[in-house]
Amino acid sequence: MGGVALFFFLATIVITSHAEEIPQQIHLLRLYTGAAGNKIPGLNCLSWRLAVETDNIRDWRVVPEKCEDYVGHYMLGKQYRKDCDTVAYAAIEYAESVKPADDGKDIWVFDIDETTLSNLPYYARPQVAFGAKAYNSTAFNEWVADAKAPPIPGSLMLYNRLVSLGFKIVFLTGTGEPVRQARITNLKKAGYYTWEKLILKQISERGTTSVVYKSKKRAELEAAGYRIIGNVGDQWSDLLGTNVGNRTFKVPDPILADNLIGINGSRTCQCE
């Protein structure tokens, strides 16, 4: 985890202090100081991000061009890490108030992308521009297959605490079955070394909206006797629907927030 924190710290320093030395794979961000979001005439990007996170602004396809730098600075800076940590601390506090039963059926459900694993190195590429460029499913699937996504430090901290408390972990993701081995490799490399189940979307389930798909899988878990104590995701579709569990926790994510998938679940990638 120390290496991941160092990556985010160094990325911030490189982008804000040595723009002329930034390698081509890192998207260039314009330097500014002060409260982010108040520097763009006619559009307050901090308010836009809040509205996205609270699901008040929906059905957008790309990050507004004027908010590209704001989102980049937020994701690479300290605030994003602090926001993720806040979610983790709240979840840990709740988990510590619950004593898992001895039957091993108390589970904690985690999404993967932007919840347990961070695709920030991919989103920092110029051709992606932190979500300000149109989504490219081929390029993203290639990134997933490389299995190089680092963990989100707060989520890894939460995961380790949950395991130590005796909860079983279930990863429930829209990632397609063809990249199962890449997901296993990436999770273990990032520090998520054990779990009860890793549920991926089957070919027959493609086209199913995330809310419907994840509700069905959670219902199947409960039908098998599991009790969903906690549920963590970065998108509202991870946390809405049926059988959501006793408590839900949303990790911040202004880049996706359900909108690159579209209201009909039409995103054509192996990973959702």
Side-chain angles (χ1 to χ4, degrees):
M1 178 157 48
V4 176
L6 179 61
F7 163 78
F8 285 124
F9 175 76
L10 290 178
T12 305
I13 295 299
V14 167
I15 286 181
T16 58
S17 302
H18 301 285
E20 70 280 4
E21 300 176 6
I22 298 174
Q24 288 302 308
Q25 67 268 27
I26 300 297
H27 182 59
L28 294 170
L29 297 175
R30 294 183 294 275
L31 178 64
Y32 57 72
T33 59
N38 294 322
K39 303 298 183 181
I40 302 172
L43 181 63
N44 186 308
C45 292
L46 190 153
S47 297
W48 173 82
R49 176 172 67 85
L50 177 62
V52 165
E53 296 286 8
T54 53
D55 204 30
N56 290 323
I57 294 180
R58 306 178 183 180
D59 307 335
W60 51 276
R61 290 291 179 173
V62 296
V63 171
E65 184 178 356
K66 292 182 178 181
C67 294
E68 170 189 326
D69 280 6
Y70 167 76
V71 171
H73 280 282
Y74 169 72
M75 295 297 289
L76 290 172
K78 294 180 180 179
Q79 192 59 51
Y80 172 66
R81 298 196 301 276
K82 289 180 178 179
D83 291 348
C84 290
D85 287 348
T86 296
V87 177
Y89 289 134
I92 289 172
E93 181 179 13
Y94 170 67
E96 291 176 341
S97 72
V98 179
K99 180 177 174 55
D102 294 332
D103 60 5
K105 292 294 187 177
D106 287 331
I107 63 174
W108 205 282
V109 176
F110 281 89
D111 176 50
I112 294 182
D113 292 286
E114 269 53 68
T115 299
T116 48
L117 297 178
S118 172
N119 296 305
L120 188 53
Y122 170 80
Y123 291 120
R125 295 175 178 178
Q127 58 269 37
V128 183
F130 299 99
K133 300 291 181 66
Y135 177 75
N136 184 318
S137 61
T138 300
F140 186 74
N141 287 333
E142 289 173 353
W143 159 256
V144 171
D146 285 341
K148 295 180 179 179
I152 292 177
S155 294
L156 184 57
M157 173 179 63
L158 169 61
Y159 164 89
N160 284 325
R161 184 60 180 142
L162 291 171
V163 171
S164 72
L165 289 171
F167 291 100
K168 297 298 177 65
I169 305 300
V170 172
F171 290 111
L172 172 56
T173 173
T175 301
E177 184 65 35
V179 293
R180 173 177 288 273
Q181 190 53 54
R183 295 268 89 163
I184 292 174
T185 298
N186 203 156
L187 284 168
K188 291 188 173 181
K189 187 188 304 181
Y192 302 98
Y193 56 91
T194 185
W195 52 80
E196 182 77 357
K197 291 180 180 292
L198 172 59
I199 303 174
L200 294 89
K201 183 175 282 190
Q202 303 301 306
I203 294 177
S204 61
E205 295 171 318
R206 288 183 180 177
T208 304
T209 65
S210 187
V211 171
V212 171
Y213 161 70
K214 293 198 171 185
S215 293
K216 176 183 176 183
K217 296 304 179 183
R218 291 191 299 261
E220 291 174 357
L221 287 167
E222 293 189 338
Y226 290 104
R227 295 176 292 273
I228 303 174
I229 305 302
N231 182 8
V232 186
D234 66 300
Q235 302 186 51
W236 283 107
S237 58
D238 300 325
L239 310 174
L240 297 176
T242 65
N243 309 86
V244 296
N246 293 358
R247 279 287 302 272
T248 61
F249 299 89
K250 187 183 184 303
V251 177
D253 181 6
I255 295 178
L256 290 181
D258 291 321
N259 295 286
L260 293 182
I261 298 175
I263 58 176
N264 296 318
S266 58
R267 190 165 80 164
T268 57
C269 68
Q270 296 173 344
C271 181
E272 298 174 3

